[in-house]
Amino acid sequence: MGRKSVFFYVSLIVLTIIYLLHIFESSRNVSNLKKVANEIRQSYPFNYFIENIDIQYSHFTTEINLELINQYDELELINQFAIFEYFQRQLRHFLLTGDYQNPLHISDFKLVGNTDSNKYFLSSDIPENRTVHYNVENFFYINNKKSYHTNTLDNSLYNKLKDEGKFDLEVLQYADCMFRLITSGGRNYIHKTDEKIILDSISEKFGITHEEFNHIYYKYYLGIYFNPLLDDSNL
């Protein structure tokens, strides 16, 4: 067997191994994504309105199909949107910050929900130059009609904080500025190192612990304590 033939077969073996490793890693990423999504679904308020969930991943797009109870139709529009928006925010957050770092946190998300009467759809696409979800404008459709978007929800949260939680608002705005500065607007982010820099800076400026900041962040950005059965003042 000539040198060229040996080189060809060795190259083929190496490429095959790389391909198989990629397939294995992709499969593990998808499996982890499904596990995290199902854990979120089992928390309130998602466990009250979502009866079942199915997830498919293909070509950098994660499609999440939500089987909704019919009472979902009776919610205020802002709360209907918030359930979808907070679900995808929490999913991205826990995929990024969990024990197993999962690159699918920056895949495009398509959330589809159905009741007996209506079809709901949230489109959440990440720009190609982003390494982390940041200031992405998501759009919410009801029966194929655009009905709500992220900016409207954020304005509602801002007005609530401006009136009732000025300290929390100041903390979140400072955290946002630090994040944009360190990550070049979300284009460069290394969670293991950058998170500590940001949290330490917040602690030094405002005299709060990392846990106290996380409580604020979880409440207002991730909607951990969100209750859609109350009026929209709880957002």
Side-chain angles (χ1 to χ4, degrees):
M1 183 180 294
R3 290 184 177 180
K4 289 185 177 180
S5 296
V6 171
F7 178 77
F8 171 79
Y9 284 113
V10 170
S11 300
L12 181 61
I13 292 171
V14 170
L15 290 173
T16 300
I17 292 173
I18 292 174
Y19 175 74
L20 291 175
L21 288 173
H22 172 73
I23 294 296
F24 173 76
E25 183 67 15
S26 296
S27 177
R28 188 166 64 168
N29 287 339
V30 172
S31 176
N32 180 260
L33 182 152
K34 292 180 178 180
K35 178 182 178 181
V36 175
N38 274 288
E39 288 177 354
I40 295 172
R41 187 195 70 81
Q42 294 170 24
S43 64
Y44 187 83
F46 311 114
N47 63 345
Y48 184 84
F49 291 98
I50 302 173
E51 292 187 316
N52 199 11
I53 184 173
D54 180 68
I55 298 177
Q56 303 294 328
Y57 175 79
S58 178
H59 303 295
F60 306 105
T61 298
T62 298
E63 182 172 315
I64 304 170
N65 291 285
L66 308 174
E67 183 181 330
L68 303 168
I69 66 172
N70 290 329
Q71 285 83 348
Y72 179 85
D73 292 329
E74 301 171 7
L75 294 175
E76 296 290 332
L77 176 57
I78 187 173
N79 289 329
Q80 290 178 335
F81 173 78
I83 288 176
F84 276 60
E85 176 73 2
Y86 286 143
F87 188 96
Q88 68 86 23
R89 287 187 186 185
Q90 288 186 30
L91 182 55
R92 292 190 191 280
H93 174 77
F94 292 119
L95 288 175
L96 172 65
T97 64
D99 294 334
Y100 177 67
Q101 303 298 297
N102 193 320
L104 299 187
H105 71 88
I106 55 169
S107 65
D108 294 337
F109 284 179
K110 309 295 183 185
L111 279 72
V112 180
N114 292 281
T115 63
D116 289 343
S117 302
N118 296 297
K119 179 177 180 179
Y120 302 89
F121 174 68
L122 178 77
S123 175
S124 177
D125 297 340
I126 302 295
E128 291 184 2
N129 64 344
R130 299 285 179 82
T131 60
V132 69
H133 174 232
Y134 173 71
N135 274 6
V136 174
E137 182 75 355
N138 301 322
F139 294 95
F140 187 59
Y141 298 79
I142 301 177
N143 298 324
N144 298 318
K145 179 182 178 182
K146 188 181 292 184
S147 303
Y148 210 88
H149 52 88
T150 304
N151 191 48
T152 306
L153 175 66
D154 287 342
N155 285 338
S156 177
L157 289 169
Y158 174 81
N159 290 330
K160 175 179 172 60
L161 283 166
K162 187 174 62 175
D163 294 335
E164 302 175 12
K166 292 183 179 180
F167 177 77
D168 290 349
L169 178 60
E170 187 178 353
V171 170
L172 290 170
Q173 288 179 328
Y174 179 81
D176 180 68
C177 288
M178 285 296 299
F179 177 85
R180 285 190 285 109
L181 177 65
I182 289 176
T183 68
S184 300
R187 288 184 290 274
N188 302 290
Y189 181 71
I190 303 174
H191 173 69
K192 290 183 178 180
T193 57
D194 293 345
E195 181 192 40
K196 187 176 187 306
I197 295 172
I198 295 171
L199 290 175
D200 285 347
S201 179
I202 293 169
S203 294
E204 182 178 350
K205 181 173 178 62
F206 295 100
I208 61 176
T209 65
H210 294 183
E211 290 75 20
E212 288 171 328
F213 169 75
N214 284 334
H215 179 84
I216 296 171
Y217 182 80
Y218 287 175
K219 179 178 180 180
Y220 293 107
Y221 184 77
L222 297 182
I224 295 293
Y225 312 105
F226 166 60
N227 185 349
L229 297 177
L230 301 176
D231 60 46
D232 63 6
S233 65
N234 70 92
L235 290 175

